[in-house]
Amino acid sequence: MPAFAPPPGYTRIKVVNSFHELVSTPLQGGCNALCWERALAGDFSEIVSHFATSEGIITLDDSRLTALPVSSAGRTAIEALLEDRRLLQALDLSPVLDCIHAYPRDEAPGAVPTDVYSFHADSATVETDTYLCTYHGAASEGLRNDEAQRRVDIPEIRAELLKSFGGEDGDDFREYLIENCYDLHYTPVAGAQPFSFGVGNLWRLAVDYPGSPVPPCIHRAPETRPDEPPRLLLIS
């Protein structure tokens, strides 16, 4: 896999060289994403092969991973997964490892789709970050902040949301947008070029929380197709 390179001229992403640097580098001065670029050893495809006939999302805990009958290359991959989980748990985080065939889609997305296939920002009520890594399958995708437009700021979409809300464009309407997470979803502007997070890289992403010194990192899950292998994703 080629080395990860941030989009040309884009300074909101910084590439780091260690886990310590990933967790200790402040997200400030405009930087809203850190990438610990890695080339991991081991056969991660062997892990997902044990769940090839499954559907939806399968969460893999430590005991389920260690019980898998795998080769030495598969065991090396499992140790990498367990080590990443241990590192994040030492920060009092709760990382979840999923084998993903497909995420649920909005059954009736309306004016603003709110599933994870839509470009979005994570949000929280307190200071926090999102950590994620794709070990196998299609990697998560990012979108430059300057190439993204909030869907609720597009006049025709806002008008449709106002119609659904049944009121005026005021404080109550803005609260309605927040309650339904409509305000967290974005669409690429004309000419935008989304970028891949890459496989094996561990990311730390800025989240939308009160008082955050930087804008949130906009990202999405890649489209999944029935003929493609499942993704192996760690997120916290």
Side-chain angles (χ1 to χ4, degrees), residues 37-154:
E37 184 187 0
R38 308 182 296 178
L40 297 176
D43 187 353
F44 294 91
S45 65
E46 187 177 1
I47 297 171
V48 301
S49 70
H50 288 276
F51 308 99
T53 59
S54 303
E55 297 179 355
I57 302 173
I58 305 157
T59 298
L60 306 179
D61 59 20
D62 289 6
S63 60
R64 192 168 190 177
L65 279 174
T66 55
L68 290 176
V70 294
S71 67
S72 60
R75 189 61 53 191
T76 298
I78 288 173
E79 286 303 317
L81 298 173
L82 296 175
E83 177 63 12
D84 279 353
R85 186 133 64 186
R86 283 192 290 264
L87 288 170
L88 293 172
Q89 288 172 340
L91 300 176
D92 292 327
L93 299 174
S94 301
V96 175
L97 179 68
D98 289 327
C99 183
I100 304 162
H101 291 263
Y103 285 106
R105 303 300 298 255
D106 284 346
E107 293 184 2
V112 177
T114 56
D115 57 45
V116 296
Y117 295 112
S118 168
F119 278 113
H120 63 278
D122 296 336
S123 68
T125 57
V126 296
E127 181 177 356
T128 190
D129 307 307
T130 293
Y131 289 84
L132 64 80
C133 177
T134 303
Y135 300 94
H136 183 270
S140 302
E141 298 176 334
L143 183 65
R144 294 171 56 133
N145 292 78
D146 58 337
E147 293 185 345
Q149 182 177 12
R150 281 202 317 169
R151 292 181 182 271
V152 298
D153 294 330
I154 298 173

Side-chain angles (χ1 to χ4, degrees), residues 150-227:
R150 281 202 317 169
R151 292 181 182 271
V152 298
D153 294 330
I154 298 173
E156 55 269 29
I157 292 179
R158 197 173 188 89
E160 190 171 341
L161 290 170
L162 274 167
K163 186 176 180 180
S164 300
F165 172 65
E168 299 296 323
D169 192 344
D171 290 342
D172 289 344
F173 176 61
R174 285 186 283 275
E175 186 61 30
Y176 166 79
L177 298 179
I178 293 170
E179 288 176 354
N180 289 279
C181 299
Y182 295 141
D183 62 318
L184 297 174
H185 286 262
Y186 296 77
T187 188
V189 301
Q193 295 185 332
F195 57 92
S196 173
F197 282 8
V199 174
N201 303 328
L202 182 58
W203 286 76
R204 176 180 159 209
L205 311 179
V207 168
D208 184 10
Y209 64 85
S212 174
V214 294
C217 180
I218 300 168
H219 60 286
R220 71 175 177 188
E223 293 283 349
T224 52
R225 300 177 179 85
D227 59 335

